[in-house]
């Protein structure tokens, strides 16, 4: 009986694996098309200064509008793109688009620094800094309007090569941010060795910061340490006024989340920005 059950489990597993493989094979073809046919698009979400200064930055978040599957969220295709090597093309597309959009916002009188997410593989690409530079030049965007978000786990994969890429970007004058801080085996002792200027505290510590003394203490002490190391602190996933107020009280510099704005297409973001800046 045991062996029969085992066999049964294996075949179900195989079938599931095959279906997974087939679905991903077709997704792979589709991803190629997506890049060729401009099915990718960027949405923008503000990172808002909590000191009331009306200063803000923005994060570019990729979306895939698939003709049949509809809207495919990044967590469904970014990991897959990483495994298949397509991530490089996606990252290139995202950086180029973000520079063009940034230049448009600058020309419209609403300059804003835009952050782009890098994945692990991007950090191993020695040609990335030169690519970023050429995108800035082509778009006519001054480099202070671009920031790159990385995760610690991304750096840990191959620290030597990743650090080389990061230092090259930093030497170009690019701003770098640590994303999702607190989720991995992160420690500020490690982060302080990275050439970054911004720390984004993960939503996991933010969502209950009003109710949970422990979370509030984590946010406060992380913020204090980060400040003493010279980092700016951004809190992710701010969904209410109460959370926003609490984060300000705890010393965070910026908040990002649905409370200020959901990620929206460029035109809607530009409209939000004008209103926010009182134009
Ligand atoms: P992330 O970089 O940490 O981005 C923040 C995510 O939190 C976004 O999800 C955003 O829509 C979501 N979010 C923002 N405010 C709130 C809030 O108040 N509440 C909640 N519950 N969620 C909020 P999204 O757009 O689905 O992206 C997920 C992840 O996919 C990103 O996490 C990032 O790691 C990755 N990603 C997105 N765009 C790109 C890209 O262009 N390249 C790469 N390599 N990764 C990307
Ligand atoms: Mg991010
Ligand atoms: Mg994040
Ligand atoms: Mg996150």
């Amino acid at each position: 009986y045991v062996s029969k059950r085992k066999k049964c489990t294996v075949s179900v597993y195989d079938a599931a694996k095959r279906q997974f493989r087939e679905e991903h094979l077709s997704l792979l073809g589709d991803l190629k098309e997506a890049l060729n046919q401009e099915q990718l698009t960027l949405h923008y979400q503000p990172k808002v200064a909590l000191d009331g200064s009306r200063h803000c930055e923005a994060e570019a978040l990729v979306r895939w509008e698939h003709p049949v599957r509809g809207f495919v969220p990044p967590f469904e295709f970014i990991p897959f793109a990483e495994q298949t090597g397509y991530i490089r093309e996606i990252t290139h597309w995202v950086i180029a688009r973000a520079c063009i959009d940034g230049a448009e916002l600058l020309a419209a009188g609403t300059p804003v620094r835009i952050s782009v997410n890098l994945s692990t593989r991007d950090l191993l690409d020695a040609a990335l800094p030169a690519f970023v530079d050429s995108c800035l030049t082509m778009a006519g965007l001054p480099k202070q309007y671009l920031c790159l978000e990385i995760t610690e786990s991304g750096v840990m994969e191959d620290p030597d090569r990743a650090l080389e890429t990061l230092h090259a970007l930093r030497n170009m004058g690019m701003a770098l941010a640590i994303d999702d801080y607190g989720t991995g085996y992160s420690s500020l002792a490690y982060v302080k060795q990275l050439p970054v200027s911004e720390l984004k505290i993960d939503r996991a510590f933010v969502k209950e910061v009003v109710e949970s003394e422990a979370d509030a203490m984590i946010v406060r002490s992380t913020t204090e340490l980060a400040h003493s190391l010279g980092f700016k602190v951004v809190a992710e996933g701010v969904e209410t006024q109460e959370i926003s107020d609490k984060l300000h009280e705890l010393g965070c510099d910026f908040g990002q989340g649905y409370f200020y704005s959901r990620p929206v297409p460029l035109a809607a973001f530009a409209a939000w920005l004008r209103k926010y800046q009182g134009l």
Side-chain angles (χ1 to χ4, degrees), residues 45 59 61-63 74 78 87 94 117-119 149 179-180 203 236-239 257-258 263:
Q45 185 180 39
E59 177 170 10
L61 295 156
V62 74
R63 268 87 185 101
I78 293 289
I87 191 68
V94 170
N117 292 283
L118 295 185
S119 81
E149 295 189 4
D179 205 354
D180 303 336
R203 178 169 174 267
E236 296 189 309
V238 181
E239 294 188 355
Y258 298 164

Side-chain angles (χ1 to χ4, degrees), residues 88 92 95 121-135 161 164-165 168-169 172:
R88 188 163 187 265
H92 282 193
I95 292 171
R121 278 220 179 187
D122 298 321
L123 294 178
L124 306 181
D125 179 5
L128 185 74
F131 178 80
V132 171
D133 195 45
S134 72
C135 286
R161 273 173 79 188
E164 222 169 283
T165 309
L169 288 164
M172 273 168 56

Side-chain angles (χ1 to χ4, degrees), residues 223-274:
T223 301
E224 279 170 4
L225 261 164
H227 281 161
S228 68
L229 294 170
F231 302 148
K232 241 171 21 181
V233 176
V234 182
E236 296 189 309
V238 181
E239 294 188 355
T240 66
Q241 173 84 62
E242 291 69 35
I243 296 175
S244 181
D245 292 345
K246 182 75 180 180
L247 292 165
H248 181 225
E249 183 196 314
L250 295 173
C252 294
D253 305 296
F254 288 81
Q256 179 180 352
Y258 298 164
F259 170 61
Y260 314 106
S261 167
R262 290 196 170 247
V264 291
L266 180 66
F269 177 65
W272 181 94
L273 209 50
R274 292 183 67 79

Side-chain angles (χ1 to χ4, degrees), residues 5-250:
R5 199 175 73 173
K6 193 174 165 209
K7 202 171 161 200
C8 175
T9 312
V10 166
S11 73
V12 166
Y13 173 71
D14 279 350
K17 211 163 74 176
R18 191 163 50 241
Q19 200 199 339
F20 180 80
R21 208 163 41 220
E22 272 159 18
E23 202 172 304
H24 273 191
L25 270 180
S26 91
L27 198 63
L28 178 62
D30 289 357
L31 202 51
K32 215 184 251 181
E33 298 250 297
L35 283 157
N36 293 337
Q37 298 182 7
E38 311 243 338
Q39 289 167 6
L40 295 185
T41 173
L42 289 183
H43 280 188
Y44 290 94
Q45 185 180 39
K47 300 180 186 174
V48 170
L50 295 173
D51 63 2
S53 65
R54 307 248 124 202
H55 175 66
C56 85
E57 301 186 357
E59 177 170 10
L61 295 156
V62 74
R63 268 87 185 101
W64 178 7
E65 292 174 55
H66 189 283
V68 180
R69 286 164 205 256
F71 165 82
V72 185
F75 72 85
E76 281 185 22
F77 69 95
I78 293 289
F80 173 63
E82 280 171 350
Q83 287 158 25
T84 52
Y86 271 98
I87 191 68
R88 188 163 187 265
E89 256 182 276
I90 293 178
T91 301
H92 282 193
W93 182 87
V94 170
I95 292 171
R97 184 79 248 167
C99 287
I100 292 166
D101 292 350
E104 193 175 314
L105 291 170
L106 180 61
T110 46
V112 65
R113 174 185 278 172
I114 296 173
S115 289
V116 163
N117 292 283
L118 295 185
S119 81
T120 308
R121 278 220 179 187
D122 298 321
L123 294 178
L124 306 181
D125 179 5
L128 185 74
F131 178 80
V132 171
D133 195 45
S134 72
C135 286
L136 290 167
T137 305
M138 268 194 288
L141 184 70
K143 59 182 177 253
Q144 71 261 32
Y145 294 115
L146 190 67
C147 171
L148 301 170
E149 295 189 4
I150 56 167
T151 60
E152 283 165 286
S153 51
V155 178
M156 294 309 282
E157 193 128 316
D158 186 344
D160 292 344
R161 273 173 79 188
L163 273 171
E164 222 169 283
T165 309
L166 293 178
H167 280 289
L169 288 164
R170 191 68 198 151
N171 290 340
M172 273 168 56
M174 298 295 315
L176 301 172
I178 286 281
D179 205 354
D180 303 336
Y181 182 78
T183 51
Y185 297 97
S186 21
S187 82
L188 279 169
Y190 182 72
V191 168
K192 78 162 201 273
Q193 304 171 38
L194 303 176
V196 301
S197 51
E198 183 177 307
L199 194 79
K200 299 185 77 175
I201 300 180
D202 195 76
R203 178 169 174 267
F205 305 100
V206 171
K207 59 181 198 274
E208 281 152 28
V209 76
V210 175
E211 301 83 11
S212 161
E213 271 298 318
D215 286 355
M217 265 169 60
I218 291 169
V219 171
R220 188 192 291 280
S221 57
T222 301
T223 301
E224 279 170 4
L225 261 164
H227 281 161
S228 68
L229 294 170
F231 302 148
K232 241 171 21 181
V233 176
V234 182
E236 296 189 309
V238 181
E239 294 188 355
T240 66
Q241 173 84 62
E242 291 69 35
I243 296 175
S244 181
D245 292 345
K246 182 75 180 180
L247 292 165
H248 181 225
E249 183 196 314
L250 295 173

